[in-house]
Amino acid sequence: MGELDHRVHNRERVFEGTKFAVDVVDLVGRSGATLHREIVVHSGAVVILALTADDELVLIRNQRFAVGKEIYELPAGTLEAGEDPADCAGRELLEETGYRADTIKQLTSFYTTPGICNERMHAFLATGLHHEGQQLEDGEHITVETIPRKRVLEMIQNGEIEDAKTIAMILFQQLFTEK
């Protein structure tokens, strides 16, 4: 699939935050008209599916103020400038869950919300876990749980797990990787 830069006439940065920026772009529509679109510009992120030796998944209950509640998620985090995704995965796993992994293997990568954002998320499988203790950032309120695979799949089915990256990666791992 080809790049679409030939359609962009103008690009202006209108917001620069700590985790993302917002650009306004002018595109040429099919009719030739100029269309204005906002794009969230993101450095990328990682999500980590951590498995215990007993085939339990390490999930976090994360207080998410954007949705106004605590939700179940896989540990995840934003890439720092120039950071290797595998290094970020190890760092975020330790920070959020307190676990260090002997093996961190990339499973896939995907765009999170390509209609409005360029964020690419890199997904990893972490095994050989050793607990060392959480290293949470000041604004993080995270509780760690290890949950049997069967129960996690039930939680997805009944809507207890609502986070898209978590649902996608658990089902991806369930369907496409060796257990």
Side-chain angles (χ1 to χ4, degrees):
M1 294 204 218
E3 298 294 322
L4 300 177
D5 287 343
H6 67 280
R7 294 184 53 207
V8 176
H9 278 201
N10 186 38
R11 186 179 200 113
E12 178 185 358
R13 174 97 1 125
V14 296
F15 174 79
E16 184 78 43
T18 56
K19 297 280 186 178
F20 64 89
V22 178
D23 289 355
V24 174
V25 296
D26 293 337
L27 303 173
V28 178
R30 285 193 322 253
S31 69
T34 299
L35 308 171
H36 304 286
R37 298 290 184 261
E38 298 85 21
I39 300 172
V40 176
V41 180
H42 194 280
S43 62
V46 299
V47 58
I48 308 101
L49 195 159
L51 284 178
T52 70
D54 297 328
D55 198 37
E56 292 187 333
L57 283 73
V58 178
L59 293 179
I60 61 173
R61 285 185 295 134
N62 199 352
Q63 292 183 12
R64 291 294 193 180
F65 69 90
V67 296
K69 62 182 177 177
E70 182 178 75
I71 63 173
Y72 280 101
E73 301 179 42
L74 291 174
T78 302
L79 289 164
E80 301 292 338
E83 186 176 26
D84 178 80
D87 293 339
C88 181
R91 175 177 57 79
E92 289 292 343
L93 180 65
L94 182 60
E95 285 177 10
E96 292 189 357
T97 70
Y99 286 101
R100 187 176 304 276
D102 289 339
T103 304
I104 295 180
K105 174 184 164 190
Q106 186 158 4
L107 296 177
T108 190
S109 63
F110 53 91
Y111 291 107
T112 58
T113 48
I116 62 167
C117 184
N118 72 341
E119 179 185 23
R120 187 164 193 86
M121 184 162 272
H122 305 273
F124 291 87
L125 176 65
T127 55
L129 303 180
H130 309 279
H131 195 265
E132 295 183 10
Q134 281 180 304
Q135 300 175 8
L136 297 176
E137 294 177 10
D138 189 38
E140 293 179 315
H141 299 277
I142 294 173
T143 304
V144 180
E145 294 185 23
T146 58
I147 304 173
R149 179 183 300 276
K150 182 179 179 190
R151 173 69 183 123
V152 170
L153 293 173
E154 291 169 356
M155 292 168 73
I156 291 171
Q157 186 175 27
N158 70 25
E160 286 179 76
I161 296 177
E162 300 175 278
D163 178 59
K165 70 182 178 303
T166 299
I167 295 168
M169 289 320 308
I170 291 169
L171 296 179
F172 181 96
Q173 194 268 337
Q174 179 76 17
L175 291 170
F176 300 119
T177 64
E178 297 287 325
K179 307 222 185 9

